[in-house]
Amino acid sequence: MDIIFEKVEHVYNANSPFARRALYDVDIMIESGSYVAVIGHTGSGKSTLLQHLNGLLQPTSGTVTVGNQTITNKKRQRDLKPLRKKVGIVFQFPEHQLFEETVEKDICFGPMNFGVPEEEAKKKARELMKLVGLPEDVLAKSPFDLSGGQMRRVAIAGVLAMEPDVIVLDEPTAGLDPRGRKEIMEMFYRLHQEKQLTTVLVTHSMEDAAAYADYMIVMHKGTVWKTGTPQQIFQDSDALAEIGLNVPETVRLKKELEKKLGITVPSPCLTIEETVDAIQKLFSKVNAHDE
Amino acid sequence: MMNSMIIGKYVPGDSVIHRMDPRAKLLVIFIYVFIVFLANNSATYAILSVFTFSLVVLSRIPLSFVLKGLKPVIWIVAITFLLHVFMTKEGDVLYQIGSFSIYEGGVKQGVFISLRFLLLIMITTLLTLTTTPIEVTDGVESLLGPLKKVHVPVHELALMMSISLRFIPTLMEETEKIIKAQTARGVDFTGGPFSERIKAIVSLLVPLFISSFKRAEELATAMEARGYRGGEGRTKFRQLVWKWTDTAFLAAVLVLAVVLFALRS
Amino acid sequence: MEDTILSVEKLSFRYPNQSDYAVQNVTFQVKRGEWLAIVGHNGSGKSTIAKLLIGLLRPESGVIKLFHTVLDERTVWEIRRRVGMVFQNPDNQFVGTTVEDDVAFALENNGIPRDEMIKRVHEALRQVQMEEFLHHEPHHLSGGQKQRVAIAGILALRPDLIILDEATSMLDPKGRQEVLDTVRNLNKKQRITVLSITHDLEEVAKADRVIVMNKGEMMAEGTPKQIFALGTKLERIGLDLPFAVKIRDRLKQRGIPLSSSYVTIEELVEELWTLYLKR
């Protein structure tokens, strides 16, 4: 299910003195099965953009096409409901949306809203426990008796339970400790790989974007500044710095090394493993040369 | 949106009315509410209207803003007017439709009562348009100060009030976020059968309550950490300054009272 | 002579109805002008320590001394006047309806005369570069700006110690940087003592001293370099390592002879360069 934005503009409070253009001239394409990272400053239009993916917001002008459904400003909100099953959003601090008495009920809430029978939803909930790394006995507990990290996982399970074709993640690890962060990111990556789940990650972490995404959208002041593979995006660190963004630390290390040693490191150095390999190669080459 | 509805009521400005001490404004309105009932003939109503409209002019707020404040009550006014027109049987008959007769006294009465109503709403609207909610709170706290002696927790009530004002926009934002999150999970907040609507509201209210309780708890902790332990021994940063203009306005409304009393029939 | 402004001795605490200790047998000191970081995974007891330090919770056993005064019911208010705490959620500690009202809040609580208050509010806001926001309402500020206002609210009381309880964890990178720069400035220029409870590695790397908490107990104490030398031990208890350290450890595993003493990318590049030349 491809997602295509054509000339999308969004103005909040249109036709009022408080009107504010949050998005304009957005032309992007999110290919089915890809992992796309959206980066940009707070206020760059990222979160407005992501709300267009499942019709929570409708473009003021332009069109958003998700699979075979088109969203324009003329669509009625009611007609957009089927879309929400296909595109699940994990909002920032998703644990704030929990409300049922038990974890199980909360996870089943989404799917049942879309007409999935209770039994099936419950079965799904049990399966998801394992995926999000929680013991099954948590299902019977109240979500409000859990720790913050556990609540986050329950909330994520609640979105996954709808079995969306596309999952949109808005800073899914904000406020977690490093281990929690890593576990959650790895889990989404596994899902993406195993089920070809189209994943859109909105993040401040260049490291996560570099490590997981195969395509990036850089937002700046309400419009798309640049798109490309992480390698392309992070090649020009000076340009990124101009709009106040950094390159991942792996890329920074690579650049510093190249400068200091007067060489070129061929690897893009997008993950720690790649970087370590690249540096090791550097030294083995020297060794080979010596002999 | 929702924000502009509640908070946006205050129209920033630097008119005489804006600069009035909120206590003076509250007192003027308090007295006004009583003297409105003194008016009972054309002359007194005319004077009252002139007084009220002069205040609007002095506030330099466009009349249209003030009139907007009347919108929600316009039906009540209309019904009151019609009731008086049809029910009062005084003076000459002006018009007759079948068994219904409209009397001159009825029309007069209808106009007077509606006018009284409209003037009251206008002047209170003027208060909210020219005074920030926090000024109103300060004014109320100060005016009710004497009640502390009889153990009315005036300081606490005012603090509660000001914290609520502070958190209204935060909770609005939060509400919007939760609505979005639940909509993304398939909840329909725009309509649907009754049972589903109830479910939709529960899915909004429960998270909202839980987060509000958490906020309240954290806020209490933060306040305690910052040395808050009740009103005793506290000094105040925001200060109300009573100026000669405040005395003048108060005097004006008292003069108005005397004039109305003299001219009423 | 270095002056100890905070000393904690054999501190233990359990939450009601819990059998496990949230904080167990913790002992440490903080010297005037120092920046001490306390790190640990979520639930390691670090935030509980913060609450104990300003008397929001009462220890089960152990002694807390601030400015050589034992913290108890009689001294708690005086101590709170000298210790400022910045909490995690920027929204839930903003009491005033405007920036200036919020900064004045603690001054009002302590009965500071109004003239003095006005002076101090301006001064404090200047120190955090928020003076132009005097009349702004909180919902028009970013998270980082709100936290700076919170810091100003503390500075207005002229504290001896600032405690940051994960004060940057809910901020975006820009907000985090703003807050850290502000605090670092206060620490360096005005020698205000800082105790920072965090898992932000940058905060840890810039601290003078670090304490690592695990399951309510102190696991290690030392300079950032000493702490980061623990390597995988830290990762095992759910903490992160600075990027340069991660790379260093992995390269060492693959037989590249690097030393263990650096934490920044610059230092790593320097050493790789030396090594590269030697070959």
Side-chain angles (χ1 to χ4, degrees):
Chain A
M1 223 173 56
D2 295 343
I3 301 178
I4 299 161
F5 280 55
E6 281 169 293
K7 283 266 165 273
V8 169
E9 180 192 64
H10 191 90
V11 181
Y12 284 107
N13 302 321
N15 306 323
S16 86
F18 306 100
R20 190 171 62 81
R21 187 174 71 165
L23 219 56
Y24 68 95
D25 268 353
V26 176
D27 289 290
I28 49 172
M29 160 139 182
I30 294 167
E31 261 177 81
S32 185
S34 62
Y35 194 127
V36 176
V38 182
I39 61 169
H41 267 305
T42 309
S44 61
K46 282 180 304 182
S47 86
T48 310
L49 177 85
L50 88 87
Q51 291 178 51
H52 281 81
L53 294 171
N54 72 345
L56 280 177
L57 290 178
Q58 288 156 270
T60 325
S61 70
T63 53
V64 177
T65 315
V66 182
N68 51 15
Q69 199 162 5
T70 316
I71 313 169
T72 61
N73 58 1
K74 291 185 187 68
K75 271 269 155 72
R76 285 188 315 157
Q77 273 289 316
R78 182 88 49 85
D79 300 331
L80 295 170
K81 188 171 167 182
L83 187 66
R84 309 227 161 96
K85 191 190 173 309
K86 292 186 191 154
V87 183
I89 299 193
V90 176
F91 281 97
Q92 209 174 4
F93 302 105
E95 58 273 23
H96 293 171
Q97 71 203 40
L98 301 175
F99 74 100
E100 289 276 21
E101 304 102 273
T102 67
V103 168
E104 184 178 46
K105 276 190 178 174
D106 213 294
I107 296 176
C108 295
F109 179 68
M112 284 166 66
N113 280 331
F114 290 109
V116 173
E118 192 174 349
E119 275 317 302
E120 208 175 300
K122 280 186 174 170
K123 202 175 132 240
K124 187 79 206 161
R126 259 194 308 282
E127 284 169 30
L128 281 168
M129 282 291 103
K130 207 169 138 200
L131 182 76
V132 299
L134 290 173
E136 233 178 73
D137 63 351
V138 167
L139 281 173
K141 287 189 185 164
S142 157
F144 305 109
D145 289 339
L146 305 177
S147 75
Q150 290 174 317
M151 281 168 81
R152 175 80 51 100
R153 285 159 201 262
V154 170
I156 289 171
V159 176
L160 292 175
M162 305 191 301
E163 304 196 290
D165 298 326
V166 179
I167 186 131
V168 182
L169 312 168
D170 183 8
E171 292 270 352
T173 61
L176 295 180
D177 63 12
R179 192 200 326 220
R181 278 207 289 269
K182 195 163 177 211
E183 283 171 1
I184 299 279
M185 288 312 295
E186 294 285 331
M187 180 202 80
F188 282 122
Y189 193 59
R190 232 177 25 245
L191 259 176
H192 163 72
Q193 290 205 304
E194 284 167 13
K195 303 197 171 164
Q196 274 75 50
L197 182 63
T198 313
T199 307
V200 180
L201 170 71
V202 177
T203 184
H204 284 297
S205 162
M206 300 301 145
E207 284 70 28
D208 285 348
Y212 299 114
D214 34 49
Y215 189 70
M216 288 179 69
I217 298 169
V218 187
M219 297 295 293
H220 184 58
K221 292 192 173 160
T223 195
V224 176
W225 180 77
K226 207 175 190 178
T227 57
T229 63
Q231 195 176 344
Q232 288 165 340
I233 297 291
F234 292 131
Q235 206 143 45
D236 196 352
S237 51
D238 294 340
L240 271 177
E242 258 168 50
I243 61 163
L245 295 174
N246 297 318
V247 295
E249 286 180 299
T250 49
V251 178
R252 211 182 113 212
L253 173 62
K254 165 188 149 117
K255 302 232 157 172
E256 299 267 328
L257 262 182
E258 286 178 337
K259 210 163 68 189
K260 187 92 184 173
L261 273 58
I263 51 160
T264 13
V265 179
S267 160
C269 291
L270 294 176
T271 63
I272 289 196
E273 287 315 309
E274 266 177 27
T275 313
V276 172
D277 286 346
I279 297 177
Q280 196 187 15
K281 224 178 257 165
L282 216 60
F283 283 89
S284 52
K285 242 193 223 154
V286 176
N287 282 339
H289 188 74
D290 280 353
E291 279 159 21
Chain B
M1 281 173 306
M2 285 197 268
N3 277 5
S4 50
M5 237 169 63
I6 294 182
I7 309 299
K9 270 206 161 168
Y10 171 69
V11 180
D14 194 32
S15 69
V16 198
I17 307 287
H18 280 89
R19 273 178 286 142
M20 263 174 88
D21 189 309
R23 286 172 297 187
K25 291 192 218 184
L26 288 165
L27 286 173
V28 166
I29 288 181
F30 187 71
I31 297 169
Y32 188 95
V33 167
F34 284 101
I35 62 175
V36 153
F37 291 94
L38 288 175
N40 65 351
N41 55 23
S42 310
T44 43
Y45 269 110
I47 292 174
L48 205 54
S49 304
V50 168
F51 178 82
T52 313
F53 278 95
S54 344
L55 289 184
V56 175
V57 172
L58 281 176
S59 76
R60 288 200 225 131
I61 283 178
L63 190 63
S64 63
F65 268 76
V66 185
L67 295 180
K68 244 187 232 161
L70 303 179
K71 244 195 200 158
V73 290
I74 207 76
W75 287 111
I76 305 177
V77 175
I79 290 168
T80 325
F81 176 74
L82 290 177
L83 274 179
H84 277 96
V85 168
F86 289 119
M87 304 310 239
T88 316
K89 296 181 170 43
E90 269 170 39
D92 303 330
V93 175
L94 288 180
Y95 205 79
Q96 194 142 16
I97 331 158
S99 56
F100 275 113
S101 340
I102 294 173
Y103 296 84
E104 190 199 339
V107 173
K108 221 174 176 181
Q109 200 64 16
V111 170
F112 283 169
I113 301 293
S114 310
L115 193 60
R116 177 186 291 172
F117 216 2
L118 290 174
L119 289 175
L120 271 176
I121 309 270
M122 258 175 82
I123 198 145
T124 39
T125 308
L126 195 61
L127 173 81
T128 57
L129 287 173
T130 60
T131 324
T132 59
I134 195 69
E135 280 180 306
V136 177
T137 310
D138 286 344
V140 172
E141 181 181 8
S142 170
L143 289 175
L144 297 184
L147 290 183
K148 279 183 199 159
K149 292 215 173 68
V150 289
H151 301 291
V152 176
V154 176
H155 160 76
E156 283 76 6
L157 288 172
L159 186 75
M160 265 165 58
M161 188 66 199
S162 88
I163 288 176
S164 316
L165 290 171
R166 139 81 187 92
F167 273 93
I168 286 172
T170 311
L171 291 181
M172 291 281 179
E173 241 168 65
E174 179 113 12
T175 307
E176 208 167 309
K177 269 190 208 154
I178 299 171
I179 287 180
K180 290 232 163 101
Q182 305 297 30
T183 308
R185 292 212 280 168
V187 178
D188 187 359
F189 283 94
T190 54
F194 185 70
S195 64
E196 271 179 40
R197 270 195 218 195
I198 296 285
K199 189 80 181 175
I201 289 175
V202 169
S203 78
L204 166 64
L205 287 186
V206 171
L208 196 59
F209 273 125
I210 285 178
S211 87
S212 304
F213 281 130
K214 198 173 158 225
R215 278 184 200 286
E217 204 181 303
E218 285 183 16
L219 186 71
T221 307
M223 284 171 66
E224 200 183 333
R226 291 168 76 181
Y228 179 77
R229 43 177 159 167
E232 212 130 309
R234 242 178 144 246
T235 42
K236 276 191 76 80
F237 178 69
R238 279 195 312 274
Q239 209 176 35
L240 301 174
V241 190
W242 188 275
K243 297 169 292 288
W244 69 267
T245 42
D246 296 307
T247 316
F249 274 108
L250 209 55
V253 80
L254 288 172
V255 169
L256 179 72
V258 174
V259 171
L260 291 181
F261 198 74
L263 294 181
R264 74 194 300 259
S265 43
Chain C
M1 261 285 291
E2 274 191 297
D3 181 14
T4 302
I5 71 168
L6 165 66
S7 100
V8 172
E9 245 171 276
K10 295 196 172 141
L11 188 65
S12 292
F13 176 81
R14 261 187 298 193
Y15 283 98
N17 312 321
Q18 300 266 312
S19 54
D20 292 339
Y21 280 91
V23 170
Q24 195 169 16
N25 211 13
V26 168
T27 301
F28 66 91
Q29 281 90 34
V30 182
K31 298 200 171 63
R32 187 171 292 281
E34 192 179 29
W35 182 317
L36 175 73
I38 300 184
V39 293
H41 55 89
N42 287 350
S44 62
K46 56 193 194 322
S47 281
T48 307
I49 294 186
K51 293 211 174 87
L52 287 162
L53 290 183
I54 54 166
L56 290 168
L57 295 173
R58 268 202 270 162
E60 187 175 294
S61 61
V63 179
I64 298 170
K65 272 192 203 164
L66 283 140
F67 325 109
H68 309 290
T69 312
V70 174
L71 176 68
D72 60 27
E73 265 162 70
R74 281 171 303 119
T75 59
V76 67
W77 295 103
E78 175 57 20
I79 280 171
R80 278 180 196 165
R81 205 180 59 72
R82 300 175 67 179
V83 180
M85 188 147 152
V86 185
F87 295 87
Q88 185 176 21
N89 191 328
D91 260 323
N92 299 352
Q93 55 189 313
F94 205 114
V95 186
T97 38
T98 66
V99 167
E100 57 173 357
D101 286 320
D102 191 63
V103 176
F105 181 71
L107 298 173
E108 295 180 316
N109 293 337
N110 284 286
I112 310 284
R114 187 164 182 272
D115 295 336
E116 174 75 13
M117 257 198 262
I118 295 171
K119 221 178 77 199
R120 288 206 199 179
V121 166
H122 280 89
E123 191 185 289
L125 282 170
R126 195 160 41 239
Q127 286 173 292
V128 300
Q129 267 125 43
M130 285 292 289
E131 215 187 358
E132 58 195 291
F133 294 89
L134 213 55
H135 301 295
H136 281 233
E137 291 172 9
H139 61 281
H140 292 136
L141 302 178
S142 72
Q145 290 173 328
K146 280 180 211 160
Q147 291 300 62
R148 272 150 67 202
V149 172
I151 294 171
I154 286 165
L155 288 178
L157 272 183
R158 309 208 169 124
D160 297 279
L161 173 64
I162 293 186
I163 301 177
L164 306 174
D165 185 5
E166 297 196 39
T168 62
S169 70
M170 287 179 72
L171 306 180
D172 63 10
K174 184 166 165 261
R176 191 172 302 153
Q177 205 54 50
E178 282 169 18
V179 171
L180 278 187
D181 289 347
T182 304
V183 178
R184 190 168 306 132
N185 204 356
L186 296 170
N187 175 254
K188 289 281 168 294
K189 293 209 176 119
Q190 306 189 21
R191 295 244 307 148
I192 291 176
T193 317
V194 177
L195 195 160
S196 163
I197 289 162
T198 182
H199 30 236
D200 183 56
L201 290 170
E202 201 200 337
E203 251 177 277
V204 177
K206 299 275 159 69
D208 297 311
R209 205 151 51 88
V210 185
I211 288 174
V212 183
M213 295 290 298
N214 183 33
K215 292 181 185 157
E217 291 179 68
M218 269 169 72
M219 194 188 96
E221 184 183 350
T223 62
K225 277 189 182 177
Q226 290 168 334
I227 295 299
F228 291 137
L230 295 172
T232 45
K233 252 193 194 165
L234 293 179
E235 283 183 322
R236 229 173 291 139
I237 62 161
L239 293 175
D240 210 356
L241 288 170
F243 169 71
V245 176
K246 278 190 218 164
I247 297 281
R248 172 195 78 195
D249 288 354
R250 284 173 176 74
L251 286 173
K252 277 169 81 172
Q253 275 166 21
R254 299 191 185 187
I256 296 180
L258 293 164
S259 69
S260 293
S261 66
Y262 59 82
V263 288
T264 68
I265 289 187
E266 285 72 22
E267 290 167 314
L268 173 63
V269 170
E270 196 69 31
E271 195 169 354
L272 285 171
W273 178 62
T274 326
L275 219 54
Y276 191 78
L277 291 186
K278 268 195 220 152
R279 294 280 162 129

